[in-house]
């Protein structure tokens, strides 16, 4: 596995979306990040594991995404530790960028592990990194559940 290829994929994935760091919250971020009480404390495992994704915002909600809620809570706490409002979008954007880079590089690793030659694996990972379908996942912090599931799925397949 070529480490330079991994670095190239990560840098392209981050570089393509780097401009989003200064963006405001979009779509469901505007409701969940300021109004989901489980985001206030990443160590409150009970609230994270037993709560619903939308919390009190949508009483009929049946989504269960504790890993996503926990990562959002870590961003909230990180903002507070930096002296920013917990809802400040910058840390959420940076985390989304990093998750997209990890997902893209995991695709490269999986492709190589699957037996694909390194150059075709690099091309596949770069196409994945730059494909516009990922815009919503990277731009909206609450959509990181997709990146998280892809990372875990690809890691499982690569290690299997």
């Amino acid at each position: 596995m070529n480490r330079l290829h991994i670095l190239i994929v990560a840098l392209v994935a981050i570089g393509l979306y780097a401009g989003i760091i200064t963006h405001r919250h979009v779509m469901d971020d505007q409701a969940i990040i300021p109004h989901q009480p489980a985001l206030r404390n990443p160590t409150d495992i009970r609230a994270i594991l037993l709560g619903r994704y939308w919390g009190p915002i949508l009483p009929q909600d049946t989504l269960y995404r504790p890993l996503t809620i926990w990562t959002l809570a870590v961003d909230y706490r990180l903002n507070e530790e930096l002296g920013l409002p917990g809802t400040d979008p910058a840390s959420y954007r940076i985390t989304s960028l990093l998750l997209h880079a990890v997902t893209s590089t995991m695709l490269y690793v999986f492709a190589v592990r699957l037996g694909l030659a390194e150059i075709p694996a690099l091309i596949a990972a770069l196409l994945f990194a730059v494909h516009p379908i990922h815009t919503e996942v990277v731009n909206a912090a609450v959509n990181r559940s997709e990146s998280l599931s892809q990372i875990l799925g690809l890691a499982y397949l690569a290690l299997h």
Side-chain angles (χ1 to χ4, degrees):
M1 210 162 323
N2 190 321
R3 289 184 180 168
L4 178 60
H5 289 172
I6 291 172
L7 180 62
I8 290 168
V9 171
L11 290 176
V12 167
I14 291 170
L16 181 65
Y17 290 104
I20 69 164
I21 293 173
T22 59
H23 291 185
R24 293 178 289 156
H25 287 301
V26 296
M27 302 184 312
D28 294 343
D29 293 353
Q30 296 171 341
I32 292 178
I33 291 172
H35 302 294
Q36 167 51 285
L39 298 188
R40 303 305 173 262
N41 184 359
T43 61
D44 187 357
I45 302 303
R46 180 174 169 79
I48 291 168
L49 289 179
L50 299 179
R52 291 172 294 115
Y53 185 64
W54 282 88
I57 303 161
L58 290 176
Q60 71 276 18
D61 168 44
T62 58
L63 293 177
Y64 181 67
R65 295 182 176 155
L67 182 58
T68 301
I69 292 296
W70 179 76
T71 63
L72 292 170
V74 168
D75 283 334
Y76 194 97
R77 174 64 57 86
L78 177 62
N79 278 338
E80 290 180 330
E81 293 294 324
L82 294 172
L84 300 168
T87 59
D88 187 82
S91 72
Y92 298 93
R93 299 283 173 258
I94 292 168
T95 300
S96 292
L97 282 171
L98 294 175
L99 288 171
H100 180 59
V102 170
T103 305
S104 301
T105 58
M106 282 303 302
L107 179 67
Y108 172 79
V109 170
F110 172 64
V112 170
R113 286 280 180 113
L114 198 60
L116 202 60
E118 288 185 2
I119 296 300
L122 173 64
I123 292 168
L126 288 171
L127 285 172
F128 180 90
V130 303
H131 198 286
I133 199 165
H134 302 295
T135 301
E136 186 176 335
V137 172
V138 179
N139 283 329
V142 298
N143 289 340
R144 68 177 54 168
S145 57
E146 295 176 32
S147 292
L148 292 167
S149 66
Q150 289 170 348
I151 290 167
L152 293 173
L154 287 167
Y156 169 80
L157 291 171
L159 293 171
H160 183 53

